[in-house]
């Protein structure tokens, strides 16, 4: 128990607890894993020693079981605290959750109450006082175990796709525990002269059938919203590296066919591409729940927009396309308890007979540009290579001046600048973050230099010609600076 407490403190320190920006997501997932893992080991002790009575240290391990149970309570309580109060915002956040989350949280709360009841009755004095009732009470641990499995499968980050490694490991371990429990029961009730009883046969049959059915399911699962993917392009590399959390976007627009100069009302909804469920809970990324970038086919126009959230968990925006042509819309968002995502959609405005082609863009010879009253120069792109850029060893640096004086850069959307890179051939989208990852305070100032690490979110940066757009807030204004660069 002391070791578990020291481990919990170490994890808190490691993930920034006590600092200005602790990593609550890592804390939630780590303590959940520790709670489930310790609970599994606690449940495993009795059937393991009953089935294999010659295993050593039985008395010592059985005695340590109660301390392990109390450790489960500590880890699970820390998990619930950081998830409920730090990620969801406590009780005030409950009305904004969809029913699935409310049910999963309620189930977890019931399991937590059971575990706390068992922890409070784990002392020798309580064992003597409760007598035969103590064993009956502590059998509720199996109920708590089933509730925890339900909770994990409902909203657990690693269980969206049951073919992920954590899900596979959990299922195999649970099946192994079931078999041991069945063998243990059969040792008591099976008829004399038989080696395998009805509980073992039943468990093996159900387990075998489940595994066979599981092996026969499609690798990517089934989505009831597959029609959304018809007009949706997922960023290259996403399906390979982020299989468990793929998303699609559905846009309902009025009018259905946009025309230039006319406002278009859009309702934007995201779905889990595996389960088909609507995503309605998001985590803020750079001060917004959704970043929407709109560029034309020639990559000569750039708009960074932030649709408003709705009570139903969708987003709404009214936008006016200035010219006819094909536009690319990129959506950068962070689903609750899932990695950051980028998906996109193409929309045709009007009936364009011809339109610029982004492939016609060539790398800029002059690495300096004047926007409004500011001169912005670019460095680090003369010999930009994919391996170095993706490894974070070759940053791209913007320098912003007002005349001969360095510009004073204010924070914009939680950073001193933002960099968007779009491949002129494939329209692959990269949102590069500043090299300095500590979020600035509103009163902080920087400049004239801001460096970015051009790493792809789902895959390494690929060779090609990129149109890049730097966004800055010098002296409290807002400017967008475009360049064209070559990546070797």
């Amino acid at each position: 128990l002391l070791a578990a407490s020291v481990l919990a403190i170490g994890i808190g320190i490691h993930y920034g607890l006590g600092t200005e920006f602790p990593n609550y997501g890592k804390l939630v997932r780590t303590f959940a894993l520790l709670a489930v893992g310790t609970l599994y080991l606690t449940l495993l002790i009795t059937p393991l020693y009953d089935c294999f009575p010659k295993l050593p240290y039985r008395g010592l391990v059985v005695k340590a079981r109660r301390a392990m149970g109390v450790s489960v309570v500590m880890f699970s309580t820390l998990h619930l605290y950081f998830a409920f109060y730090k990620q969801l915002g406590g009780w005030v956040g409950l009305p904004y959750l969809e029913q699935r989350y409310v049910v999963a949280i309620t189930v977890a709360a019931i399991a937590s109450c059971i575990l706390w009841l068992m922890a409070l009755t784990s002392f020798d004095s309580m064992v003597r006082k409760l007598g035969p009732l103590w064993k009956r009470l502590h059998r509720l641990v199996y109920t708590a175990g089933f509730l925890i499995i339900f909770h994990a499968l409902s909203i657990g980050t690693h269980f969206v796709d049951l073919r992920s490694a954590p899900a596979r490991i959990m299922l195999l371990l649970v099946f192994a525990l079931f078999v041991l429990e069945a063998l243990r029961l059969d040792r008591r009730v099976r008829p004399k002269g038989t080696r395998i009883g009805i509980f073992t046969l039943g468990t093996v049959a159900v387990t075998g059938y489940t595994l066979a059915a599981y092996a026969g399911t499609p690798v990517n699962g089934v989505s009831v919203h597959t029609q959304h993917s018809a007009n949706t392009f997922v960023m290259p590399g996403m399906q390979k590296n982020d299989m468990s959390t793929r998303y699609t976007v559905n846009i309902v627009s009025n009018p259905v066919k946009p025309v230039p100069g006319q406002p278009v009302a859009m309702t934007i909804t995201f779905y889990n591409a595996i389960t088909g469920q609507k995503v309605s809970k998001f985590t803020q990324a750079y001060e917004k729940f959704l970043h929407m970038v709109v560029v034309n086919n020639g990559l000569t126009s750039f708009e960074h927009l932030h649709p408003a959230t709705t009570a139903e968990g969708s987003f709404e925006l009214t936008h006016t396309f200035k010219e006819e042509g094909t536009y690319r819309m990129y959506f950068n968002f962070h689903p609750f308890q899932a990695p950051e995502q980028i998906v996109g959609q193409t929309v045709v405005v009007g009936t364009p007979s011809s339109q610029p082609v982004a492939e016609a863009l060539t790398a800029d010879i002059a690495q300096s540009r004047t926007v409004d009253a500011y001169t912005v120069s670019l460095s680090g792109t003369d010999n930009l290579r994919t391996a170095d850029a993706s490894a974070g060893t070759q940053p791209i640096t913007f320098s912003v001046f007002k005349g001969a004086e360095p510009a004073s850069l204010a924070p914009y959307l939680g950073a001193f600048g933002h960099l968007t890179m779009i491949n002129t051939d494939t329209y692959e989208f990269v949102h590069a973050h500043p090299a300095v990852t500590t979020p600035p305070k509103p009163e902080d100032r920087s400049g004239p230099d801001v460096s970015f690490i051009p790493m792809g979110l789902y895959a390494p940066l690929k060779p090609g010609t990129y149109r890049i757009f730097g966004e800055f807030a010098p002296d409290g204004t807002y400017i967008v600076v475009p360049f064209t660069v070559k990546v070797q």
Side-chain angles (χ1 to χ4, degrees), residues 239-253:
Q239 292 186 7
K240 178 180 179 182
N241 297 329
D242 204 18
M243 185 68 73
S244 64
T245 49
R246 294 184 294 114
Y247 293 83
T248 60
V249 58
N250 184 49
I251 300 176
V252 177
S253 62

Side-chain angles (χ1 to χ4, degrees), residues 271-303:
Y271 293 89
N272 186 305
I274 297 173
T275 65
Q277 291 179 324
K278 176 182 175 181
V279 181
S280 58
K281 183 67 176 177
F282 300 85
T283 301
Q284 277 195 349
Y286 289 94
E287 298 183 353
K288 299 294 180 180
F289 288 109
L290 176 62
H291 295 266
M292 175 179 173
V293 169
V294 181
V295 296
N296 64 351
N297 197 62
L299 298 180
T300 55
S301 71
F302 174 92
E303 294 178 278

Side-chain angles (χ1 to χ4, degrees), residues 359-432:
E359 292 183 49
L361 295 170
T362 57
D364 294 318
I365 298 176
Q367 297 291 292
S368 181
R369 184 151 296 167
T370 299
V371 178
D372 296 337
Y374 299 94
T375 300
V376 183
S377 58
L378 186 66
S379 59
T381 59
D382 293 338
N383 189 29
L384 191 59
R385 296 184 176 278
T386 57
D388 296 332
S390 298
T393 60
Q394 195 171 9
I396 295 176
T397 302
F398 289 79
S399 300
V400 185
F401 285 81
K402 188 174 185 179
E405 298 295 324
S408 176
L409 299 179
Y412 171 65
L413 297 175
F416 284 118
H418 293 266
L419 174 62
T420 298
M421 305 178 64
I422 302 177
N423 190 299
T424 60
D425 181 24
T426 64
Y427 291 93
E428 180 177 354
F429 177 98
V430 176
H431 180 196

